[in-house]
Amino acid sequence: MPQPRAAVILAAGLGTRMKSDLPKCAHSIAGRPMVQWAIDLARQSGADRIVTVYGRKSPQIDALGQAAGTETAMQDPPLGTGHAVRAAEDALKGFDGDVIVLYGDTPLITAGTVSRVFDALEGGAAIAVLGFEPDAPGAYGRLITNESGELERIVEYKDANEAERAVRLVNSGVMAGNAKLMFELLGEVTNDNANKEYYLTDVVGLARARGLKAAAVRGDAGEVLGVNSRADLAEAEACWQARKREAVMAEGATLIAPNTVWFGHDTVVGRDVVIEPNVFFGPGVTLEDNVVVRGFSHLEGCIVRQGAQVGPFVRLRPAADIGANAKVGNFVEVKKSTLGQDAKVSHLSYIGDAEVGAHANIGAGTITCNYDGYNKSRTVIGEGAFIGSNSSLVAPVRIGKGAYTGSGSVVTDDVPDDALALSRSRQSNKEGWASRFRAAMAKRKGKSQ
Ligand code: UD1
Ligand code: MG
């Protein structure tokens, strides 16, 4: 019978190896804090109770845990991973079911892998641990198994002898078991080891001492990488990006040079989208079908609708909404603005706090002057309007449907539909002035020599 599930996320460690003022588990992969990856994984794995464990020195983790809708518990001081799980005991009082422990510094594990850990419990194991075989087992805890492949105990690297260190199967940190049993066993854990810490990993040996069964589930090394340093963080990011690029291509998008495209954790990419080399996506980007993102563009918090083309060298900032078949060209920045269908902003413009109607054409160098140092104001440009090159649109201002603004105009008043707005000085030509000027100058120079 499947049991109710709870999860404990461990994120109270000091993370000293990161050499950072930010707590380790608040560092991000693909723009999302690592602790949140663990929380999402817990949810996807069917945990309806989640407790995030933070430390006195990591209030940011408490805030992230609460923002993600989990309960939080403080571990103070941090005395090891076993001690950290016990910090969640009060929050889970009365919970009757299975509990899974996830480390907040192991962001790449998938829900499919976690479900195999729960399968091991249903298969009769009292405690199940996710292990893997990395190329370099380094300082990971070693999983010691018996002849029949059952897990006997976990020995931490610092406490291991030569023979144990030679074991290639190591601990990912993911462990599941009946909640009541887990907390009972944790009560028996001591800190009699090289680190003087209460190790969660001791639970396995204690379960075996009671004659209970423990299982090691094998995971993929690319998933269970634990982040302890900045170099690990970069490696985890690279693994995640590689996975995302594969997924995006499998769904029918073309990446001309996949290794040069950086996705956000939630980037949505439609079918037949083409992404040219050297593009960066921050969080919250959706590209609908048939969109083209040309090289060297930076997008965050925006939507690019069906068939639109953006870039090269475009910057789309939060709340930019680029309409179907619209075109946003080189060196254009768009923020909190809607571009209607087929609208064009082809060169060198800033469009902020604006609504641009369908089929409007915004000339090169157009600036929406949206900020006076205190307030942001809106610019509304009607359907089919034509904004002359190098126009300054001083918001709040409305340009009517089908209206024109003359090049170089500074538009401070509303423009009626179908009107032409000119706000620049009139041109006057002085016939023959240039030749007279040159002659006078040549004469003056001749005299002075
Ligand atoms: C731990 C495991 C090791 C495993 C490795 C996988 C133990 C004793 N060791 O070692 O077997 O191979 O992870 O990556 O469990 N934490 C707390 N409170 C504490 C200590 C740690 O919340 O008092 C949290 C940390 O924030 C971190 C996680 O637990 O998210 C793991 O701690 P860390 O110090 O990174 O353990 P490792 O040395 O990596
Ligand atoms: Mg670690």
Side-chain angles (χ1 to χ4, degrees):
M1 254 269 294
Q3 297 286 307
R5 290 174 182 176
V8 178
I9 315 281
L10 301 193
L14 297 176
T16 34
R17 289 166 279 184
M18 293 294 281
K19 303 211 170 73
S20 175
D21 291 338
L22 191 67
K24 175 168 72 175
C25 301
H27 282 264
S28 292
I29 298 294
R32 164 186 278 172
M34 289 197 282
V35 66
Q36 215 182 312
W37 283 103
I39 291 168
D40 287 352
L41 176 63
R43 282 232 166 80
Q44 287 163 24
S45 305
D48 8 79
R49 307 264 319 256
I50 303 174
V51 184
T52 305
V53 180
Y54 68 99
R56 181 175 296 283
K57 292 194 181 141
S58 54
Q60 298 96 323
I61 299 292
D62 181 26
L64 286 166
Q66 290 196 37
T70 75
E71 297 171 67
T72 59
M74 181 157 81
Q75 181 203 16
D76 183 43
L79 298 177
T81 48
H83 182 255
V85 178
R86 290 192 78 183
E89 190 167 0
D90 270 352
L92 292 179
K93 212 160 222 120
F95 171 76
D96 187 12
D98 290 333
V99 65
I100 186 153
V101 179
L102 300 172
Y103 289 177
D105 69 349
T106 313
L108 303 176
I109 300 174
T110 61
T113 299
V114 168
S115 81
R116 291 200 289 116
V117 176
F118 281 116
D119 289 347
L121 294 185
E122 280 179 44
I127 300 286
V129 173
L130 178 64
F132 65 111
E133 289 196 30
D135 292 335
Y140 286 108
R142 303 300 201 258
L143 300 192
I144 311 298
T145 49
N146 63 22
E147 320 75 60
S148 30
E150 287 167 351
L151 187 58
E152 288 291 341
R153 61 203 164 85
I154 305 179
V155 52
E156 287 305 304
Y157 181 78
K158 281 193 184 165
D159 302 296
N161 60 33
E162 280 308 306
E164 289 163 338
R165 286 183 179 183
V167 170
R168 304 197 60 84
L169 183 63
V170 304
N171 178 27
S172 70
V174 175
M175 184 185 289
N178 171 272
K180 201 163 152 271
L181 172 71
M182 186 86 92
F183 286 118
E184 234 177 77
L185 295 172
L186 281 169
E188 296 174 17
V189 169
T190 69
N191 66 349
D192 183 15
N193 52 52
N195 270 344
K196 295 276 166 286
E197 282 185 7
Y198 296 87
Y199 293 157
L200 169 64
T201 44
D202 283 355
V203 156
V204 172
L206 292 166
R208 291 294 297 130
R210 290 187 180 198
L212 297 167
K213 227 177 103 178
V217 175
R218 275 167 199 261
D220 172 36
E223 271 191 34
V224 286
L225 171 87
V227 172
N228 295 313
S229 64
R230 305 272 182 164
D232 293 341
L233 187 70
E235 193 182 339
E237 177 80 37
C239 287
W240 188 87
Q241 292 293 341
R243 200 195 273 176
K244 177 74 177 178
R245 291 170 191 137
E246 288 293 324
V248 162
M249 290 189 283
E251 292 298 314
T254 294
L255 306 185
I256 295 173
N259 291 344
T260 69
V261 177
W262 294 82
F263 290 104
H265 63 90
D266 57 354
T267 311
V268 176
V269 182
R271 202 179 151 99
D272 287 316
V273 162
V274 176
I275 303 174
E276 289 186 356
N278 296 304
V279 174
F280 182 90
F281 295 94
V285 177
T286 296
L287 307 178
E288 291 188 353
D289 295 349
N290 298 301
V291 158
V292 178
V293 180
R294 306 199 55 199
F296 300 95
S297 293
H298 189 286
L299 294 80
E300 58 188 320
C302 61
I303 177 163
V304 184
R305 297 184 191 273
Q306 289 270 0
Q309 284 200 31
V310 303
F313 296 99
V314 94
R315 175 148 188 233
L316 301 183
R317 290 172 52 203
D321 180 332
I322 310 302
N325 301 315
K327 243 179 141 171
V328 182
N330 44 232
F331 306 108
V332 172
E333 174 180 344
V334 183
K335 185 218 80 171
K336 207 173 177 186
S337 296
T338 306
L339 264 62
Q341 189 178 327
D342 289 304
K344 285 192 176 66
V345 191
S346 297
H347 337 263
L348 298 156
S349 291
Y350 172 62
I351 305 296
D353 301 293
E355 191 183 313
V356 177
H359 303 281
N361 187 84
I362 312 292
T366 296
I367 306 290
T368 53
C369 310
N370 60 331
Y371 187 49
D372 58 12
Y374 297 92
N375 297 302
K376 299 277 167 70
S377 301
R378 288 185 66 72
T379 301
V380 179
I381 298 171
E383 265 182 48
F386 189 99
I387 307 300
S389 297
N390 202 30
S391 292
S392 300
L393 309 177
V394 183
V397 70
R398 302 178 75 89
I399 314 293
K401 288 184 192 163
Y404 273 64
T405 68
S407 299
S409 289
V410 177
V411 182
T412 52
D413 297 328
D414 289 356
V415 181
D417 292 354
D418 295 318
L420 164 68
L422 287 171
S423 90
R424 58 183 193 208
S425 52
R426 188 172 283 280
Q427 179 173 337
S428 66
N429 292 338
K430 308 213 183 294
E431 290 287 345
W433 181 92
S435 2
R436 288 197 298 279
F437 176 76
R438 280 192 294 268
M441 284 302 161
K443 202 168 160 195
R444 195 184 294 175
K445 247 192 154 173
K447 267 188 193 158
S448 70
Q449 272 169 4

